[in-house]
């Protein structure tokens, strides 16, 4: 509003102007609180320790070392594991081809 308009405005408009100013202040405070809450939630989430410690993860990975020795033995072992997984998924040679048709 212009100051000349306020001078001639009825007295009933001043509470409306004050209410608008209060609402704007409250809206700014609400946005600030929302940002503060989101930031604190992020900090709290990052501050939590993982459910499994790094030492436990390292121990589990160390216990599962298949290729601790020779690279050739490791490659052969990996091929055997892959072949057994493929055979298990397909059902084996007895469930394919002519044998499967005869069954």
């Amino acid at each position: 509003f212009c100051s000349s308009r306020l001078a001639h405005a009825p007295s009933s408009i001043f509470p409306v102007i004050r209410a608008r100013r209060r609402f704007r202040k409250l809206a700014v405070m609400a946005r600030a609180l929302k940002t503060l809450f989101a930031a604190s939630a992020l900090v709290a989430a990052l501050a939590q320790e993982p459910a499994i410690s790094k030492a436990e993860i390292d121990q589990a990975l160390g216990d599962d070392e298949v290729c601790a020795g020779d690279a050739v033995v490791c490659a052969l072992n990996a091929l055997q594991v892959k072949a057994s997984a493929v055979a298990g998924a397909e059902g084996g040679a007895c469930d394919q081809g002519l044998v499967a048709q005869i069954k």
Side-chain angles (χ1 to χ4, degrees):
F1 286 108
C2 181
S3 62
S4 64
R5 293 172 98 188
L6 288 177
H8 301 294
S11 62
S12 63
I13 197 162
F14 291 115
V16 173
I17 293 172
R18 279 190 228 127
R20 285 183 183 168
R21 287 181 185 158
R22 285 185 191 142
F23 179 75
R24 286 185 190 134
K25 287 180 183 178
L26 287 174
V28 169
M29 287 176 28
R31 279 183 289 219
L33 284 174
K34 182 173 71 170
T35 304
L36 180 65
F37 178 74
S40 64
L42 179 65
V43 168
L46 293 176
Q48 290 181 352
E49 295 206 16
I52 301 173
S53 70
K54 184 174 177 359
E56 291 173 330
I57 293 172
D58 290 339
Q59 180 183 2
L61 290 174
D63 291 345
D64 196 29
E65 281 296 323
V66 177
C67 300
D70 189 16
V72 175
V73 174
C74 179
L76 178 62
N77 188 15
L79 286 173
Q80 288 173 341
V81 169
K82 183 178 179 181
S84 66
V86 169
E90 293 176 356
C94 294
D95 295 329
Q96 298 176 4
L98 184 60
V99 177
Q101 291 175 1
I102 295 173
K103 277 183 157 181

